[in-house]
Amino acid sequence: MADFIRKITRDALRSAPDAALSREWLVANGLGGYASSSLSGAVTRRYHGLLVAALPAPLGRVVMLSQLNDVLIERDGTERRLTGHNPQADQWPDPNYPSDAAPSGLAEFRMESGLPVWRYEIGDVVIEKQIVLPHLQNIVHVTYRVVKAPQPICLRLRPVMAFRKLESAVDEPLARDYRVTARGHEYEIWAGPELPVLRMTIEGAELPLTLDGGARRDIVYPVEAERGYESRGSLWTPGYFSGPLSQGQTLSFVAATEPWQRLWALPPADVLRFEKERRRRIVGTAHPSLREGAMAELVLSADSFLFVPAGRVADQMRARAEGDEVRTVIAGYHWFTDWGRDTMISLEGLTLTTGRHMEAGWILRTFAHYIRDGLIPNMFPDGKDEGLYHTADATLWFFHALNRYVQATGDRHTLQLLLPRLVEVIDHHRRGTRFGIAVDPGDGLLRQGREGYQLTWMDAKVEDWVVTPRRGKAVEINALWYNALCLTAGWLTEEGDAQAARPLAELAEQARASFNARFWCAHAGHLYDVVDGERGDDDACRPNQIFAVSLDNPVLDRARWEPVVETVRQRLLTPVGLRSLAPGQRDYKPKYFGDLRARDAAYHQGTVWGWLIGPYVDAWLKLHPDDKAGARELLQGFLPHLDQAGIGTISEIFDAEPPFSPRGCISQAWSVAEVLRCWAATAEDR
C-alpha cells in the first residue's frame, strides 16, 4: 500500500501573503502529545511546538521544544532560512511580517501518510525535511536529506524553547533558568527538579553543539494577538548545531523527554519505516470505502485523536490489573483534552468505521469506570486525574455509543458488564442527580440546568456569562433520553430480565407522548429548542431538533420528520455542516472572530459545526433510504477544506456565511469522525 500524499505547491504557498502562515500541520504521538506549526515553520500560536510532551499529572502537556531554526549556509556565506520566523516584539506590528516570515526556498509542502515533508529548492541545492513522532513516545525526529548539492553545503540548526504548560500564556514560562550538560553527542537541557529534562542529539552526521551564551529572544505569536491573548513571549536557545553535508547525506535532529535508552533504541530510518507501516495498517483495516484518497487521510487524522492518557498513571495501572487497557479521545487540537460528549459522539467514526473495535471497547470501559451519580465526566482538565461532571448529555450519548459498538462487534460480554451501570444511570436521572438533571414525574421528560453552568453541547461560557444556557427541557436531551430508555429496555429484555425492562419501556412511552405533545411548534413549523425554560418555550430554529429524527429510536412522530428535516435543510444546512442558529434569528452571528468574549458570543449563535452533518445525513437517509448518492453529496464540501486550516483534517467550526471560513480547532475529533462514518454509510456497496 503506497503512501497517501497531499501536496501544497509553491503557487499555493504564495497564493496570499499569509498562505504559509494560516495553514498548519500536526502529528500526534498517541499519548496526547504532538508536534505542530504553520506550514512556514513559524510558531504562530502558544500551542505550536516541535515537541509538546504528554507528561504525568500535575504537569500534563508541556511545550518542551518550540522550534528548530534551520539555515542553509552557501559557499559564499549567504544564509538561506529554511524555517519561517516570528517578528521580534519590538518590531510588531510589522505590515511586512507575513511575506518576510515565509522561507524563501520553500518549493513544496506535503503530507506523506500524515507526516509533514518540506522541499526546499535554493539555487542548485535541493533539501527535504521530514518530521516523525515515534508512537507512544515523547520523542521527535526532524530528518534532513540532501537530495541535490553539486558541492558540500553547511546546515545550521538552532533549537529554541521555553518549557511551558500548554495552556499557559506565552509570557509565563515554567522555567527562568536553563542549564546545558553534555556527554559526547548527548545533550541535556535542565530547568528545575519539577520539570523533565529535554534530551537532544544528532544522528547521521557530525554536527557538534556550539554554545553561544544561552540567548533569549522576545517574539510575537500573531494568532494569539488575533484571539485577544497575551502574544509576546521569550524563547531561549543554548546554541546551535552546525556542520557540512553532501549530496545523498541524511541527518536527524532528535529531541525527547524519554530516557536515552529509548532515543538510541531505533535508528531514525527505522522509526520512519515502522511509523509508516503502522499508518498503512490503520488505513488497511478501515471500511473499504475509506482506504484511498481523502478518506484515507481522514482515517490517519482519526488516529491522532485516539490516545493513552499518559498523565493518568493510576488509570493505566487499574486497567492493566483488570486485564484491560485505557484509551480515550482528544476532542480537538490544539487545546482540548478528552471530553465525554465528544468521545461518545466520535466513537463510531473514529474506531468502529476504521476497524479499531478493540479500542472502542477500551474507551467504553474506561469511561464506565468514571460514572459518578449517574453521570460520565464532561471533561478531564489537562494535568488532572479526576474529571468534571457538568454535562447533561454526555452520559446519554454513552448509551448511543455502546449500542453502535454492540451492533458492530456483537460483544455481549461488555454489554453485560456495563448494563447494571446503565440501569443505575437511569435510576439517578429518574430520582434526580447533579446540576438539576432530573425527570419531571408529570410528563417523563428530562429537565436540566443550574445557574452558572452550561450543561448541553452548546456550552459557551465567559466568566459568569452562560451564552446559551438552555435551562429547562432541551429538545436533543429528551431525544437522547428516549433513545437511552428504549435501548436499555431492549437490552434487559434480550438478557432475560423483562421485569426490569417493563418500567423503562413505560417511561419511554410516557416521554415519547409528552415530547410530541410539547415540542411541536406549530407557528414555526419545527420543534421548540427548549420547553418549560426560564422564559417559557424557546422557538429558536437550531439544529438540535434533528436528533429527534436521526437517533436509532427517534422520539418524533413519523408524520413530522419531513418538515423538521426540510426546515434544517433550508435554514441551517451549509457545505460544511449545520448552522447553530438560523439566519434572521435575534442572536444570529454570521462570523466567529475577535477576542474570547466576541468568539463565544458567536460559538452557538450561527457558527457552523462540521460534526452536525452526521445526524443530518442519518435523518436524510431515514426519509430517503434509497438516496445514498444524495447523502454522499452532502459531504463533498469537506474535501476542498482539507487544504485549508489543518492540512488533511477537518476543523471544529466555520463561519455561518460564505466562504464559510474555518475557525476554532484546526483538527476536531467529531468533525472527522462524522464525515468518515457518513462516507462509509453512503457507500453504494455497503
Side-chain angles (χ1 to χ4, degrees):
M1 189 180 294
D3 291 336
F4 303 97
I5 298 177
R6 176 168 295 272
K7 293 183 179 180
I8 309 295
T9 64
R10 187 197 307 265
D11 289 344
L13 291 166
R14 297 178 178 178
S15 61
D18 64 347
L21 285 171
S22 60
R23 287 179 267 193
E24 301 169 62
W25 60 272
L26 183 139
V27 180
N29 66 4
L31 296 173
Y34 63 86
S36 179
S37 77
S38 66
L39 298 198
S40 77
V43 289
T44 62
R45 304 177 182 268
R46 67 175 129 167
Y47 304 105
H48 280 164
L50 284 185
L51 180 60
V52 179
L55 303 170
L59 285 173
R61 289 180 289 182
V62 178
V63 183
M64 297 296 298
L65 178 67
S66 295
Q67 195 175 30
L68 186 64
N69 290 336
D70 40 16
V71 175
L72 171 67
I73 303 174
E74 297 183 297
R75 290 177 62 84
D76 63 0
T78 302
E79 296 188 358
R80 302 289 188 180
R81 191 176 64 247
L82 303 184
T83 296
H85 77 287
N86 299 58
Q88 294 186 20
D90 59 4
Q91 297 174 336
W92 182 263
D94 177 0
N96 297 317
Y97 167 62
S99 59
D100 184 53
S104 59
L106 182 56
E108 176 186 277
F109 173 87
R110 63 183 186 270
M111 297 290 278
E112 290 186 359
S113 297
L115 300 174
V117 180
W118 292 259
R119 183 179 178 88
Y120 304 96
E121 297 177 358
I122 301 172
D124 54 5
V125 174
V126 178
I127 298 176
E128 290 200 342
K129 175 174 69 175
Q130 184 162 41
I131 291 177
V132 60
L133 277 65
H135 193 54
L136 300 181
Q137 303 292 329
N138 286 308
I139 303 174
V140 62
H141 288 234
V142 185
T143 298
Y144 297 82
R145 182 168 67 93
V146 183
V147 178
K148 180 183 177 183
Q151 301 293 331
I153 60 170
C154 181
L155 191 64
R156 186 175 71 218
L157 307 177
R158 179 181 290 276
V160 292
M161 63 201 69
F163 296 177
R164 171 177 56 79
K165 285 187 177 182
L166 184 63
E167 286 289 355
S168 296
V170 296
D171 64 342
E172 297 179 8
L174 284 179
R176 296 292 177 184
D177 297 309
Y178 297 86
R179 299 178 188 174
V180 183
T181 60
R183 186 180 64 184
H185 297 295
E186 297 177 347
Y187 304 95
E188 296 186 348
I189 309 296
W190 182 91
E194 296 181 356
L195 293 170
V197 171
L198 180 66
R199 297 177 175 88
M200 304 184 303
T201 192
I202 299 286
E203 294 194 51
E206 293 291 329
L207 270 68
L209 176 62
T210 300
L211 300 176
D212 62 359
R216 290 181 183 267
R217 183 173 185 237
D218 291 335
I219 66 166
V220 171
Y221 297 77
V223 175
E224 298 305 306
E226 292 172 7
R227 291 167 59 85
Y229 296 115
E230 177 57 51
S231 59
R232 301 180 181 217
S234 295
L235 292 177
W236 177 87
T237 176
Y240 58 88
F241 299 91
S242 183
L245 293 173
S246 301
Q247 181 169 304
Q249 192 169 358
T250 298
L251 73 84
S252 295
F253 169 87
V254 185
T257 59
E258 305 290 353
W260 282 112
Q261 298 94 314
R262 294 191 180 184
L263 269 72
W264 296 120
L266 290 174
D270 285 351
V271 169
L272 177 60
R273 179 165 57 88
F274 292 151
E275 179 60 18
K276 282 193 171 184
E277 180 56 35
R278 189 187 73 85
R279 289 165 176 260
R280 293 186 190 109
R281 289 198 305 270
I282 287 169
V283 174
T285 62
H287 185 277
S289 67
L290 307 177
R291 295 177 187 170
E292 59 183 17
M295 291 304 111
E297 296 176 68
L298 288 182
V299 169
L300 295 177
S301 177
D303 176 64
S304 71
F305 302 111
L306 301 172
F307 80 108
V308 179
R312 304 204 292 271
V313 177
D315 281 359
Q316 296 181 48
M317 294 179 66
R318 172 195 53 78
R320 290 170 183 172
E322 296 174 347
D324 219 337
E325 292 286 342
V326 176
R327 289 293 186 279
T328 185
V329 172
I330 287 277
Y333 290 99
H334 302 87
W335 49 83
F336 281 115
T337 58
D338 45 334
W339 288 60
R341 174 190 304 114
D342 300 55
T343 297
M344 297 308 144
I345 292 171
S346 302
L347 183 131
E348 184 177 6
L350 297 185
T351 61
L352 303 178
T353 305
T354 61
R356 303 175 72 163
H357 303 94
M358 184 177 293
E359 287 165 280
W362 290 342
I363 291 168
L364 290 168
R365 292 189 293 272
T366 294
F367 270 87
H369 172 73
Y370 283 102
I371 293 175
R372 303 285 187 274
D373 299 327
L375 302 173
I376 68 169
N378 185 37
M379 52 109 43
F380 288 88
D382 208 7
K384 302 292 184 181
D385 288 321
E386 287 297 321
L388 302 178
Y389 287 81
H390 51 297
T391 172
D393 59 342
T395 313
L396 303 177
W397 279 112
F398 186 91
F399 290 77
H400 170 82
L402 178 61
N403 183 49
R404 295 296 175 90
Y405 170 75
V406 173
Q407 288 177 352
T409 66
D411 181 2
R412 304 298 295 190
H413 173 73
T414 293
L415 175 62
Q416 293 161 3
L417 180 70
L418 300 185
L419 191 52
R421 306 303 308 273
L422 302 183
V423 173
E424 174 190 327
V425 165
I426 290 175
D427 187 52
H428 273 285
H429 281 65
R430 294 178 70 177
R431 290 186 287 111
T433 185
R434 306 182 191 183
F435 308 109
I437 301 169
V439 171
D440 182 339
D443 58 15
L445 296 175
L446 194 63
R447 60 176 180 249
Q448 54 79 34
R450 177 174 293 177
E451 187 73 28
Y453 286 92
Q454 67 286 28
L455 301 179
T456 74
W457 80 273
M458 292 187 163
D459 57 0
K461 181 181 178 183
V462 183
E463 297 176 346
D464 293 330
W465 176 37
V466 176
V467 182
T468 49
R470 305 182 71 228
R471 291 187 284 271
K473 298 168 184 173
V475 63
E476 82 281 8
I477 299 295
N478 281 282
L480 286 162
W481 173 237
Y482 174 76
N483 187 55
L485 290 169
C486 291
L487 290 173
T488 308
W491 288 327
L492 287 169
T493 301
E494 292 167 6
E495 294 300 318
D497 196 348
Q499 183 176 354
R502 190 174 300 112
L504 300 188
E506 292 171 354
L507 183 56
E509 186 52 40
Q510 181 192 16
R512 185 177 188 279
S514 298
F515 183 96
N516 284 280
R518 290 289 291 112
F519 274 93
W520 179 251
C521 181
H523 70 266
H526 59 72
L527 298 180
Y528 283 109
D529 190 55
V530 178
V531 300
D532 296 341
E534 296 170 304
R535 300 178 182 176
D537 299 342
D538 181 2
D539 63 359
C541 183
R542 295 190 183 274
N544 305 306
Q545 61 188 304
I546 200 69
F547 295 104
V549 180
S550 67
L551 291 169
D552 291 340
N553 295 283
V555 67
L556 185 64
D557 286 344
R558 175 63 177 80
R560 286 175 172 160
W561 289 5
E562 191 164 356
V564 166
V565 173
E566 183 62 15
T567 294
V568 173
R569 186 189 70 82
Q570 290 186 6
R571 303 186 66 184
L572 301 174
L573 181 64
T574 77
V576 284
L578 302 185
R579 295 183 181 95
S580 47
L581 183 66
Q585 301 276 275
R586 182 185 59 191
D587 295 318
Y588 176 74
K589 303 289 191 303
K591 288 188 176 183
Y592 176 92
F593 69 100
D595 63 15
L596 180 61
R597 189 175 185 87
R599 296 196 311 275
D600 275 353
Y603 206 30
H604 302 105
Q605 304 287 42
T607 296
V608 174
W609 289 76
W611 77 276
L612 290 173
I613 199 64
Y616 182 78
V617 166
D618 291 339
W620 179 265
L621 287 175
K622 285 190 174 182
L623 281 173
H624 311 283
D626 297 324
D627 188 21
K628 287 187 176 181
R632 171 66 65 84
E633 189 63 28
L634 297 169
L635 306 174
Q636 297 297 324
F638 290 97
L639 301 185
H641 170 62
L642 301 188
D643 279 339
Q644 292 180 336
I647 303 301
T649 187
I650 301 178
S651 295
E652 175 190 14
I653 52 177
F654 303 81
D655 283 344
E657 303 292 343
F660 304 109
S661 299
R663 307 288 187 179
C665 282
I666 65 166
S667 185
Q668 193 77 3
W670 55 12
S671 300
V672 171
E674 286 296 85
V675 170
L676 283 172
R677 181 181 68 81
C678 292
W679 194 274
T682 56
E684 291 296 338
D685 59 347
R686 185 177 174 86

